[in-house]
Amino acid sequence: MIPSFLGSCKITEIITFNPQNELNSIQLYRYSSTFDESNSIMKNFFTIISLAKDYKSSLRLNVFFNLLAVIFGLFSFVLFMPFLEALFSPDKLENLAHQPAPSALSFDNESLQEHGNYWMSQFLQTHSKFELLLVLCGVIITMILAKNFARYAALYFMAGVRNGIVRDYRNKIYNKVLSLPISYFSGERKGDIISKMTNDVKEIEWSVLRSLEAVYRDPIAIFITISWLIFQSPKMSLFILLLIPIVVIIALITRKLRKSSANSQSLIGDMIATTEETLSGLKIIKGFNGEKIKRDQFEAENKKYTLQMTKMFRRIDLASPLSEFLGVSVIISTMLYGGNLVFEGEMTGSSLIGYLAIFYTVIAPAKSLTDAVSNAQRGIASMDRINEILEADDKIIDPENPIKINALNSSVAFKNIQFKYAEDYVLKNVNFEIPKGKSVALVGQSGSGKSTIANLLPRFYDIEEGEITLDSVNIKDTTLKNLRGLMGVVTQEAILFNDTIANNIAFGIENSTPEKIEEAAKIANAHEFILQFPQGYDTNIGDGGGKLSGGQKQRISIARAVLKNPDILVLDEATSALDTESEKLVQDALNNLMKNRTSLIIAHRLSTIQHADEILVMHEGEIIERGNHEELIALKGTYTKLIEMQSFG
């Protein structure tokens, strides 16, 4: 069995050894030093650093104050050595006062100690021992105060960096979601996308960005402190190499965190998706006694997530106590070796204690840096999930040199349209034209391609073959904003937002006024019911327009289209989900909206499109009949059968 801590090491050779009188052979595994994610810690390290590239000025200040904090902290420990000398060897200091002054100061440990001790001996000539301790304590506390001020200043500037990165990520994800084509979301679970936008961003904030501070602080502390230790005692400093196994062991233990975190975030995405589906379908769940089915589904997903998180946190929690134990072991070994140097006269007792105190300060940043980079793997796994959105292909893009279309002057034309969502074509050689000011209706059974045509016109999807033109200009040759600015869309399900009625009518429309909003509502037969609310047009309609009836919501949608005053109108089964009374009010509003306007109408109820200039009968992606209502009735074909079926119903 492969040792678990080696994870996914590559096995380069297996040697089987069969000693005599042994029931089981022993297999010796020879592992290559290359892991599946080789150098992942260094990769994570530089990934964290790269996140802050847009905040260079704040980072420079952070690094500067971190540097000051390390220097002040180091000298506060260095000053403990003369403090110990004054406390434990006052007679030695008094004897130095009668000896000649040391030679010129040089930057080496022995010279610094000589000059420090000589200064203290001179101070004791005119002051008491307690006053010497008082001065040394005053200098030490001043250094510590300066260190903590610098540390706060470093954190002050880092706070802006951390929160700025989170803000940037949220903005990037949201803007990307807005720019992605509709086809992207048909293959993704809504709950998983929401999880990426919320939980994964939060994971980045808590694991990666909390590591950002350590990445920009701890290397400075480690470098400066180790440099001083080498300067003070090169022999003792060799023991610092014992810290290297700590980094390696912790890396081995925690390197699986990235995969574990990715799995956990995916599982919580499943739970959010199930919750969203439950909230959306509560009536069906309760109506069909499906509570147990959904409960079992959610509890199974929750159990998987809990087990995954338990495994992950156990790995995380193992790193800290293990590194602390190994760190203390290194300190004890260093104390033994240093004590021997004191016995041999190569160091003083105060120098050893000071060295050990400073050396111990290396453990904290080394452990912090290792933990930070290791723990960051959870956040980097979340970054990978977020990048699935950020790096998704924007298949529908604007041309480099777009043609500006100010208005529709002649017609909308569909020419030899072939389209498929997956493998099978849902539209086959579709050809028709909508002259300016005229209306064309599409009818046919479900799945015949009606709504697909409506989605192709505003480029919610792009066609593979053929072209759609506005005044002979291919819609791919203008910008999406220009194209969609010419259109108004009213769908079967009214899409409204948790806002006021006025803001829903004016959504996406610049320079709207209360007078224009009210006029649009009147044309849409919505003005009267709006005034029945206590707050009128300022009434908040709730999530998805939940405070309104189906007919009211649809008339608000129509009012929005009226206010936009588009050149081209797309009506996608705008009355199919309404009762008879609401349908009449909505149909009257639609008739007002369509007057002298180029319209593409998708109809389920054929009674609503009898006055269309042309009716196209769709079947399995093809146009099988075309003409006005009277002409199609005279054919006594598919259209007539559809009319008869609805009349019978």
Side-chain angles (χ1 to χ4, degrees):
M1 181 177 179
I2 301 174
S4 59
F5 70 86
L6 289 170
S8 54
C9 287
K10 293 180 179 178
I11 303 174
T12 56
E13 186 177 352
I14 302 177
I15 305 171
T16 303
F17 177 58
N18 292 288
Q20 295 179 349
N21 301 322
E22 291 288 344
L23 295 176
N24 298 309
S25 62
I26 301 173
Q27 288 186 323
L28 304 178
Y29 295 86
R30 184 174 295 168
Y31 298 95
S32 68
S33 60
T34 303
F35 293 92
D36 290 343
E37 295 181 13
S38 60
N39 300 321
S40 61
I41 288 184
M42 290 306 297
K43 179 182 177 182
N44 296 345
F45 182 89
F46 290 112
T47 299
I48 296 169
I49 290 177
S50 67
L51 289 175
K53 61 185 178 182
D54 295 329
Y55 300 88
K56 293 180 181 178
S57 58
S58 294
L59 283 176
R60 290 191 186 102
L61 290 169
N62 173 264
V63 171
F64 172 73
F65 283 109
N66 274 328
L67 182 62
L68 289 182
V70 173
I71 292 173
F72 288 135
L74 177 63
F75 278 101
S76 66
F77 276 103
V78 170
L79 288 170
F80 271 106
M81 285 185 278
F83 177 85
L84 293 171
E85 289 285 350
L87 187 62
F88 295 112
S89 305
D91 296 337
K92 176 183 175 182
L93 293 177
E94 290 174 349
N95 293 333
L96 286 176
H98 306 293
Q99 297 179 7
S103 57
L105 179 65
S106 60
F107 193 70
D108 63 70
N109 186 49
E110 185 176 352
S111 179
L112 289 174
Q113 286 186 4
E114 287 180 355
H115 281 79
N117 290 339
Y118 183 75
W119 175 85
M120 288 190 293
S121 68
Q122 295 299 312
F123 185 88
L124 287 173
Q125 295 297 308
T126 55
H127 298 81
S128 67
K129 297 173 184 177
F130 179 77
E131 288 175 317
L132 176 59
L133 293 179
L134 192 63
V135 170
L136 291 174
C137 288
V139 176
I140 291 172
I141 199 169
T142 301
M143 288 287 184
I144 292 175
L145 177 64
K147 168 197 170 183
N148 282 280
F149 173 79
R151 183 183 177 190
Y152 171 75
L155 293 172
Y156 177 88
F157 290 106
M158 182 56 74
V161 176
R162 288 175 54 183
N163 289 293
I165 292 172
V166 173
R167 177 201 62 204
D168 294 344
Y169 254 104
R170 290 196 184 106
N171 288 340
K172 285 180 182 178
I173 299 168
Y174 190 79
N175 292 335
K176 184 68 175 184
V177 166
L178 290 177
S179 69
L180 284 171
I182 301 295
S183 58
Y184 174 83
F185 301 98
S186 61
E188 295 287 332
R189 296 186 71 182
K190 188 189 300 183
D192 197 44
I193 293 174
I194 294 173
S195 177
K196 290 175 183 177
M197 297 179 67
T198 53
N199 293 306
D200 285 298
V201 172
K202 197 69 178 177
E203 187 63 61
I204 289 175
E205 181 177 5
W206 282 100
S207 59
V208 176
L209 298 185
R210 290 181 72 177
S211 302
L212 189 66
E213 177 192 341
V215 166
Y216 278 90
R217 178 196 64 210
D218 295 333
I220 297 172
I222 293 170
F223 175 77
I224 292 177
T225 306
I226 289 179
S227 298
W228 177 262
L229 292 174
I230 293 173
F231 167 77
Q232 188 174 353
S233 176
K235 286 185 177 181
M236 287 284 292
S237 300
L238 291 175
F239 278 83
I240 294 174
L241 295 175
L242 295 174
L243 284 175
I244 294 177
I246 296 177
V247 177
V248 175
I249 292 172
I250 295 175
L252 289 173
I253 293 172
T254 59
R255 71 183 179 81
K256 286 187 177 180
L257 288 179
R258 184 172 183 175
K259 182 178 179 181
S260 300
S261 181
N263 291 339
S264 66
Q265 297 295 61
S266 177
L267 291 172
I268 201 170
D270 292 339
M271 283 198 295
I272 292 175
T274 300
T275 303
E276 191 273 331
E277 290 174 354
T278 300
L279 294 175
S280 301
L282 271 177
K283 288 183 179 179
I284 298 298
I285 294 171
K286 291 179 179 295
F288 285 83
N289 292 323
E291 291 93 338
K292 185 177 186 304
I293 296 173
K294 300 305 290 184
R295 185 185 300 114
D296 291 345
Q297 178 185 349
F298 182 85
E299 289 179 356
E301 291 169 350
N302 196 12
K303 182 178 180 181
K304 287 182 182 178
Y305 174 73
T306 302
L307 291 174
Q308 188 69 36
M309 292 299 293
T310 301
K311 291 179 182 178
M312 185 173 69
F313 281 121
R314 282 171 178 168
R315 291 193 184 104
I316 296 171
D317 295 338
L318 178 60
S320 180
L322 180 60
S323 62
E324 181 176 348
F325 170 75
L326 294 175
V328 171
S329 299
V330 172
I331 289 290
I332 296 298
S333 301
T334 308
M335 289 173 61
L336 288 173
Y337 182 74
N340 186 58
L341 292 179
V342 172
F343 295 151
E344 294 178 356
E346 296 186 29
M347 292 184 73
T348 63
S350 60
S351 295
L352 175 61
I353 295 174
Y355 183 96
L356 292 175
I358 295 173
F359 178 63
Y360 191 76
T361 64
V362 178
I363 302 297
K367 177 177 175 293
S368 172
L369 182 61
T370 304
D371 289 345
V373 178
S374 298
N375 290 337
Q377 293 190 54
R378 289 178 294 151
I380 291 173
S382 293
M383 288 169 59
D384 291 340
R385 280 170 46 82
I386 289 173
N387 286 336
E388 292 175 6
I389 296 178
L390 295 179
E391 296 174 2
D393 185 18
D394 287 332
K395 297 179 180 179
I396 301 177
I397 58 176
D398 290 334
E400 292 184 4
N401 301 302
I403 299 173
K404 175 71 173 177
I405 304 176
N406 296 313
L408 182 68
N409 296 313
S410 60
S411 68
V412 178
F414 289 73
K415 302 176 181 179
N416 304 316
I417 301 300
Q418 301 262 104
F419 179 77
K420 58 185 177 181
Y421 292 106
E423 296 181 359
D424 298 328
Y425 281 98
V426 294
L427 293 179
K428 307 165 188 175
N429 197 33
V430 172
N431 290 273
F432 67 93
E433 186 173 1
I434 313 174
K436 180 181 178 181
K438 301 297 182 180
S439 59
V440 170
L442 304 176
V443 301
Q445 87 276 24
S446 297
S448 60
K450 306 185 301 296
S451 293
T452 299
I453 291 176
N455 287 330
L456 293 178
L457 183 54
R459 289 190 72 191
F460 293 152
Y461 297 87
D462 258 350
I463 54 176
E464 287 87 5
E465 302 175 39
E467 63 177 2
I468 303 173
T469 62
L470 305 183
D471 298 338
S472 300
V473 176
N474 193 316
I475 61 173
K476 292 184 178 181
D477 293 333
T478 188
T479 63
L480 291 171
K481 184 176 182 179
N482 184 184
L483 173 66
R484 293 167 184 171
L486 298 170
M487 299 181 187
V489 180
V490 181
T491 58
Q492 177 179 357
E493 181 182 356
I495 307 299
L496 300 177
F497 304 99
N498 193 345
D499 206 337
T500 64
I501 292 175
N503 288 341
N504 270 281
I505 294 175
F507 182 78
I509 301 165
E510 298 178 356
N511 304 320
S512 60
T513 63
E515 293 75 20
K516 291 181 180 179
I517 292 172
E518 186 174 319
E519 181 63 28
K522 289 178 180 178
I523 295 173
N525 289 335
H527 180 67
E528 291 184 4
F529 84 77
I530 292 173
L531 292 182
Q532 293 176 4
F533 290 105
Q535 294 177 293
Y537 284 84
D538 292 326
T539 301
N540 187 292
I541 61 175
D543 189 20
K547 297 180 181 179
L548 305 178
S549 69
Q552 290 173 336
K553 289 193 285 187
Q554 198 65 288
R555 280 177 277 168
I556 295 294
S557 296
I558 294 170
R560 183 164 57 202
V562 171
L563 184 60
K564 186 176 183 180
N565 192 27
D567 286 29
I568 303 166
L569 185 64
V570 180
L571 303 177
D572 188 358
E573 301 193 18
T575 63
S576 64
L578 303 177
D579 58 79
T580 303
E581 183 179 354
S582 297
E583 179 187 354
K584 185 179 185 308
L585 291 169
V586 171
Q587 189 60 49
D588 290 342
L590 290 173
N591 292 335
N592 294 333
L593 177 60
M594 289 188 294
K595 285 179 181 177
N596 303 315
R597 199 181 305 276
T598 308
S599 304
L600 176 64
I601 311 164
I602 297 169
H604 175 71
R605 298 184 182 180
L606 303 184
S607 59
T608 63
I609 50 90
Q610 293 182 5
H611 300 293
D613 295 295
E614 185 176 24
I615 300 172
L616 307 179
V617 182
M618 304 286 299
H619 180 71
E620 294 184 355
E622 298 180 281
I623 300 173
I624 58 173
E625 293 178 5
R626 61 199 314 159
N628 59 33
H629 176 70
E630 289 76 15
E631 292 170 345
L632 291 175
I633 289 293
L635 286 176
K636 296 184 179 181
T638 302
Y639 181 77
T640 304
K641 292 179 181 178
L642 292 173
I643 290 286
E644 292 174 349
M645 290 173 64
Q646 290 199 4
S647 298
F648 179 77

